[in-house]
Amino acid sequence: MSKKVRVKFLKERLEREYLALSEENPLKKRIDRVIERLKQNPVFGQPIAKRLIPKEYLREGVDNAFWVELSKGKGWRLIYSLTSKDEVEIVAIILEWFTRHKDYERRFGYN
């Protein structure tokens, strides 16, 4: 039996931003695709080394993180974490997304 995967957002503000995007918005479409992929295979993203996990995430209790490219060539990225509270469910938590690679680099201290 495989575990069910539930996807949620770390913060209500982030979920509101997502829900405010129109169905035609390319960012919303790409996030929707990632959500569907997470439900099928929650570890498909690229793991982020623990030493690179930003303090902002650690303060929220996040101890693992993955990144997924949302668009080729644009530098859009989505960051998520995985947790499991029981034997039957994995929770994929969307931490944030970036539509500018410069913002991603700043968050992870690459600049």
Side-chain angles (χ1 to χ4, degrees):
M1 179 178 98
S2 64
K3 290 186 178 187
K4 178 180 175 245
V5 179
R6 181 168 51 101
V7 179
K8 69 179 209 170
F9 293 82
L10 180 64
K11 299 195 179 263
E12 281 185 39
R13 175 192 52 76
L14 190 63
E15 185 172 14
R16 284 194 307 271
E17 284 179 31
Y18 165 76
L19 293 171
L21 296 170
S22 78
E23 294 300 319
E24 300 306 311
N25 185 305
L27 178 60
K28 170 104 185 223
K29 288 179 179 183
R30 289 184 174 109
I31 292 171
D32 287 345
R33 261 188 254 142
V34 168
I35 288 171
E36 287 310 308
R37 281 193 73 190
L38 284 170
K39 290 176 181 177
Q40 302 302 315
N41 176 16
V43 293
F44 81 95
Q46 297 294 317
I48 296 170
K50 290 199 183 293
R51 65 184 167 72
L52 296 177
I53 295 175
K55 289 181 180 73
E56 295 85 353
Y57 297 170
L58 296 171
R59 281 194 290 269
E60 295 288 340
V62 171
D63 64 357
N64 68 78
F66 299 82
W67 67 268
V68 176
E69 188 173 58
L70 290 174
S71 68
K72 297 247 186 263
K74 288 188 178 179
W76 294 3
R77 298 226 169 138
L78 180 138
I79 311 299
Y80 70 94
S81 180
L82 297 173
T83 187
S84 182
K85 294 193 176 16
D86 58 38
E87 299 289 319
V88 295
E89 183 178 62
I90 294 171
V91 181
I93 304 164
I94 296 176
L95 304 175
E96 65 185 321
W97 59 79
F98 300 92
T99 56
R100 294 177 1 151
H101 199 268
K102 183 181 279 189
D103 295 334
Y104 169 82
E105 289 175 334
R106 190 174 299 125
R107 168 71 79 213
F108 286 89
Y110 293 133
N111 49 341

